[in-house]
Amino acid sequence: MTHPILLLGLLIVAYFSGSQAENSFSQYWEEHIDLSHPPYWLAAKASPLSLHQEIVFIKLMEENELTSHLHSLCKQANIACSTNSLVKKKTEDATLPPIAQWNAIKEVYDHFQIETPQSTVSQGGFPFFRESMVKEGGFMSIPDLRDPMSYKSFLPRSLASKIPFSFARIEDLKKIFGVIDDESNMDKYIQETLKICEKTHIRGVQSTCVTSAEDLIDFVVKKLGHHVSVWSTENIEGSYENITIGAVKLIYGNLSEPPALCHSEPFPFQVYYCHALQKVKVYVVDIHAQKKVNHAIMACHYDTSMWDPNHIAFKLLGFGPGLIEVCHWINENGMVWTKTLG
């Protein structure tokens, strides 16, 4: 049984942990990435746990006592214990409808076999479109750009590596986080994310799910090297709006050097589904929304030959695999990593 004094120490150091954890992430970044500092929103996702807190929670997990201290873990680690509370935080803006359920999984290109164009578009905006549809001065209906669980943090690698992150052990995983079947969206989020992470994807696509900031950096370095740039959509402005398109700028057009796209997945702690894709161009597009201009990142795939013929993009746009390019927006907390050229 874990000694109460150990838990008391956990609470005492909580106040001082944030800067220490951020410094640890920044140090790992500086050691592996040839950029002066990570984007502010990515740095904010670094685990706020101190080394001492990590050790305490690892000990609790090893003694099968973590569930009894779940509230402390979720509060100190800034992860999700209640999906309902998270959704409430994200939907306080009454001008936006509930977060679109297809958002988190739309980037798994062979996953859509049951969704219909009508049901998707009725939620607002087009999730997939042609490059020719995005021209300065034109108009476009933008889908939901929000991350359904945007503020959660990574767990430290030492703790995340001990989480049973597999569908075969889903019951053990849900037990750790106190998730009861059908109690909330969390059960569905966990199932969908694990399916995405374990699914056999398109041939030739190198993909993985990363469960810590260190794993994310390691994936990027392995696929692209140390000299990289990272791009992300600035904010969620324009979601569910008919907007005017401003400047369209190509920021990466080397079809022989595949970028890596990482999509935030709904899960108790921060998880990214990342894949390196051939023949992708990346643009930054000024979206003139009602409140302000959003600088959104657009990825266009020029090789769709291996995509599922029933993919929703083909239902929306016509044609079929290999016959057209397909573009989409990078959602909130998503990112595109590109190799620095020259």
Side-chain angles (χ1 to χ4, degrees), residues 271-313:
V271 172
Y272 277 98
Y273 169 72
C274 296
H275 47 185
L277 298 161
Q278 299 288 338
K279 296 186 178 180
V280 175
K281 289 184 179 180
V282 184
Y283 296 82
V284 60
V285 181
D286 288 350
I287 291 177
H288 291 263
Q290 293 177 7
K291 294 182 179 179
K292 60 181 179 180
V293 176
N294 185 4
H295 305 293
I297 300 301
M298 177 179 79
C300 291
H301 302 262
Y302 285 82
D303 183 3
T304 60
S305 60
M306 300 304 297
W307 290 24
D308 191 309
N310 294 317
H311 191 287
I312 189 173

Side-chain angles (χ1 to χ4, degrees), residues 254-281:
N254 188 342
L255 296 181
S256 63
E257 292 282 357
L261 281 65
C262 293
H263 311 283
S264 181
E265 299 297 332
F267 206 71
F269 54 92
Q270 183 63 59
V271 172
Y272 277 98
Y273 169 72
C274 296
H275 47 185
L277 298 161
Q278 299 288 338
K279 296 186 178 180
V280 175
K281 289 184 179 180

Side-chain angles (χ1 to χ4, degrees), residues 23 36 45 69 83 95-96 121 130 167 237 239-240 294 297-298 307 315 337:
N23 288 339
S36 57
K45 286 190 167 294
H69 303 281
T83 301
T95 63
L96 291 177
V121 176
R130 300 291 301 274
F167 209 88
E237 295 299 330
S239 294
Y240 291 118
N294 185 4
I297 300 301
M298 177 179 79
W307 290 24
K315 293 181 179 181
W337 298 82

Side-chain angles (χ1 to χ4, degrees), residues 165-220:
F165 192 79
S166 71
F167 209 88
R169 298 190 61 193
I170 189 171
E171 295 304 322
D172 294 333
L173 189 152
K174 290 195 294 184
K175 182 179 179 180
I176 290 174
F177 292 102
V179 177
I180 300 174
D181 292 350
D182 300 324
E183 181 182 281
S184 69
N185 287 334
M186 184 63 80
D187 181 33
K188 180 169 64 175
Y189 284 163
I190 289 174
Q191 290 192 47
E192 289 294 347
T193 294
L194 291 177
K195 286 178 182 177
I196 288 170
C197 292
E198 296 186 0
K199 189 177 179 66
T200 301
H201 299 294
I202 300 172
R203 188 174 62 194
V205 174
Q206 304 168 40
S207 63
T208 190
C209 280
V210 296
T211 58
S212 70
E214 296 89 344
D215 286 348
L216 172 64
I217 292 173
D218 288 352
F219 174 82
V220 171

